[in-house]
PDB file of all heavy atoms in Angstrom:
ATOM      1  N   PRO A  77     118.285  86.145 104.130  1.00  0.00           N
ATOM      2  CA  PRO A  77     119.393  86.591 103.266  1.00  0.00           C
ATOM      3  C   PRO A  77     119.986  85.521 102.425  1.00  0.00           C
ATOM      4  O   PRO A  77     120.506  85.807 101.343  1.00  0.00           O
ATOM      5  CB  PRO A  77     120.394  87.175 104.269  1.00  0.00           C
ATOM      6  CG  PRO A  77     120.075  86.493 105.564  1.00  0.00           C
ATOM      7  CD  PRO A  77     118.577  86.297 105.548  1.00  0.00           C
ATOM      8  N   ASP A  78     119.999  84.264 102.863  1.00  0.00           N
ATOM      9  CA  ASP A  78     120.642  83.202 102.124  1.00  0.00           C
ATOM     10  C   ASP A  78     119.678  82.197 101.491  1.00  0.00           C
ATOM     11  O   ASP A  78     120.128  81.182 100.926  1.00  0.00           O
ATOM     12  CB  ASP A  78     121.623  82.456 103.020  1.00  0.00           C
ATOM     13  CG  ASP A  78     122.720  83.382 103.570  1.00  0.00           C
ATOM     14  OD1 ASP A  78     123.210  84.206 102.777  1.00  0.00           O
ATOM     15  OD2 ASP A  78     123.020  83.275 104.753  1.00  0.00           O
ATOM     16  N   ALA A  79     118.396  82.464 101.598  1.00  0.00           N
ATOM     17  CA  ALA A  79     117.400  81.536 101.071  1.00  0.00           C
ATOM     18  C   ALA A  79     117.200  81.754  99.571  1.00  0.00           C
ATOM     19  O   ALA A  79     117.581  82.771  99.015  1.00  0.00           O
ATOM     20  CB  ALA A  79     116.071  81.693 101.814  1.00  0.00           C
ATOM     21  N   GLU A  80     116.610  80.766  98.946  1.00  0.00           N
ATOM     22  CA  GLU A  80     116.303  80.871  97.523  1.00  0.00           C
ATOM     23  C   GLU A  80     115.275  81.956  97.294  1.00  0.00           C
ATOM     24  O   GLU A  80     114.332  82.145  98.083  1.00  0.00           O
ATOM     25  CB  GLU A  80     115.759  79.530  97.008  1.00  0.00           C
ATOM     26  CG  GLU A  80     115.490  79.526  95.521  1.00  0.00           C
ATOM     27  CD  GLU A  80     115.019  78.157  95.041  1.00  0.00           C
ATOM     28  OE1 GLU A  80     114.972  77.214  95.859  1.00  0.00           O
ATOM     29  OE2 GLU A  80     114.679  78.026  93.864  1.00  0.00           O
ATOM     30  N   GLY A  81     115.423  82.669  96.202  1.00  0.00           N
ATOM     31  CA  GLY A  81     114.522  83.766  95.906  1.00  0.00           C
ATOM     32  C   GLY A  81     115.010  85.084  96.473  1.00  0.00           C
ATOM     33  O   GLY A  81     115.992  85.130  97.229  1.00  0.00           O
ATOM     34  N   GLU A  82     114.374  86.191  96.085  1.00  0.00           N
ATOM     35  CA  GLU A  82     114.797  87.488  96.495  1.00  0.00           C
ATOM     36  C   GLU A  82     114.242  87.822  97.869  1.00  0.00           C
ATOM     37  O   GLU A  82     113.063  87.717  98.141  1.00  0.00           O
ATOM     38  CB  GLU A  82     114.319  88.545  95.471  1.00  0.00           C
ATOM     39  CG  GLU A  82     114.919  88.365  94.089  1.00  0.00           C
ATOM     40  CD  GLU A  82     114.384  89.361  93.107  1.00  0.00           C
ATOM     41  OE1 GLU A  82     113.266  89.131  92.606  1.00  0.00           O
ATOM     42  OE2 GLU A  82     115.057  90.365  92.821  1.00  0.00           O
ATOM     43  N   GLY A  83     115.127  88.281  98.732  1.00  0.00           N
ATOM     44  CA  GLY A  83     114.701  88.693 100.081  1.00  0.00           C
ATOM     45  C   GLY A  83     113.869  89.956 100.042  1.00  0.00           C
ATOM     46  O   GLY A  83     112.992  90.120 100.868  1.00  0.00           O
ATOM     47  N   ALA A  84     114.171  90.809  99.097  1.00  0.00           N
ATOM     48  CA  ALA A  84     113.423  92.052  98.926  1.00  0.00           C
ATOM     49  C   ALA A  84     113.281  92.383  97.459  1.00  0.00           C
ATOM     50  O   ALA A  84     114.256  92.281  96.712  1.00  0.00           O
ATOM     51  CB  ALA A  84     114.108  93.223  99.674  1.00  0.00           C
ATOM     52  N   VAL A  85     112.106  92.759  97.046  1.00  0.00           N
ATOM     53  CA  VAL A  85     111.831  93.129  95.663  1.00  0.00           C
ATOM     54  C   VAL A  85     111.366  94.573  95.656  1.00  0.00           C
ATOM     55  O   VAL A  85     110.439  94.955  96.387  1.00  0.00           O
ATOM     56  CB  VAL A  85     110.761  92.240  95.043  1.00  0.00           C
ATOM     57  CG1 VAL A  85     110.450  92.678  93.626  1.00  0.00           C
ATOM     58  CG2 VAL A  85     111.181  90.768  95.086  1.00  0.00           C
ATOM     59  N   VAL A  86     112.000  95.389  94.825  1.00  0.00           N
ATOM     60  CA  VAL A  86     111.633  96.799  94.681  1.00  0.00           C
ATOM     61  C   VAL A  86     111.211  97.054  93.247  1.00  0.00           C
ATOM     62  O   VAL A  86     111.942  96.752  92.306  1.00  0.00           O
ATOM     63  CB  VAL A  86     112.810  97.727  95.017  1.00  0.00           C
ATOM     64  CG1 VAL A  86     112.385  99.173  94.864  1.00  0.00           C
ATOM     65  CG2 VAL A  86     113.308  97.476  96.456  1.00  0.00           C
ATOM     66  N   ARG A  87     109.970  97.530  93.058  1.00  0.00           N
ATOM     67  CA  ARG A  87     109.415  97.730  91.740  1.00  0.00           C
ATOM     68  C   ARG A  87     109.029  99.196  91.505  1.00  0.00           C
ATOM     69  O   ARG A  87     108.472  99.848  92.424  1.00  0.00           O
ATOM     70  CB  ARG A  87     108.142  96.862  91.533  1.00  0.00           C
ATOM     71  CG  ARG A  87     108.439  95.370  91.535  1.00  0.00           C
ATOM     72  CD  ARG A  87     109.080  94.938  90.229  1.00  0.00           C
ATOM     73  NE  ARG A  87     109.242  93.505  90.152  1.00  0.00           N
ATOM     74  CZ  ARG A  87     110.397  92.853  90.416  1.00  0.00           C
ATOM     75  NH1 ARG A  87     111.438  93.568  90.806  1.00  0.00           N
ATOM     76  NH2 ARG A  87     110.465  91.569  90.334  1.00  0.00           N
ATOM     77  N   ASP A  88     109.280  99.678  90.323  1.00  0.00           N
ATOM     78  CA  ASP A  88     108.883 101.013  89.902  1.00  0.00           C
ATOM     79  C   ASP A  88     107.340 101.050  89.925  1.00  0.00           C
ATOM     80  O   ASP A  88     106.690 100.185  89.318  1.00  0.00           O
ATOM     81  CB  ASP A  88     109.438 101.301  88.548  1.00  0.00           C
ATOM     82  CG  ASP A  88     109.079 102.703  88.030  1.00  0.00           C
ATOM     83  OD1 ASP A  88     108.373 103.431  88.717  1.00  0.00           O
ATOM     84  OD2 ASP A  88     109.554 103.046  86.925  1.00  0.00           O
ATOM     85  N   TYR A  89     106.748 102.036  90.527  1.00  0.00           N
ATOM     86  CA  TYR A  89     105.293 102.135  90.691  1.00  0.00           C
ATOM     87  C   TYR A  89     104.662 102.883  89.493  1.00  0.00           C
ATOM     88  O   TYR A  89     103.433 102.860  89.356  1.00  0.00           O
ATOM     89  CB  TYR A  89     104.956 102.870  91.986  1.00  0.00           C
ATOM     90  CG  TYR A  89     103.654 102.449  92.638  1.00  0.00           C
ATOM     91  CD1 TYR A  89     103.361 101.097  92.794  1.00  0.00           C
ATOM     92  CD2 TYR A  89     102.775 103.374  93.160  1.00  0.00           C
ATOM     93  CE1 TYR A  89     102.168 100.725  93.422  1.00  0.00           C
ATOM     94  CE2 TYR A  89     101.603 102.997  93.787  1.00  0.00           C
ATOM     95  CZ  TYR A  89     101.312 101.695  93.897  1.00  0.00           C
ATOM     96  OH  TYR A  89     100.163 101.279  94.528  1.00  0.00           O
TER      97      TYR A  89
END
Side-chain angles (χ1 to χ4, degrees):
D78 300 318
E80 183 178 355
E82 297 177 280
V85 178
V86 180
R87 294 284 185 262
D88 182 357
Y89 212 46

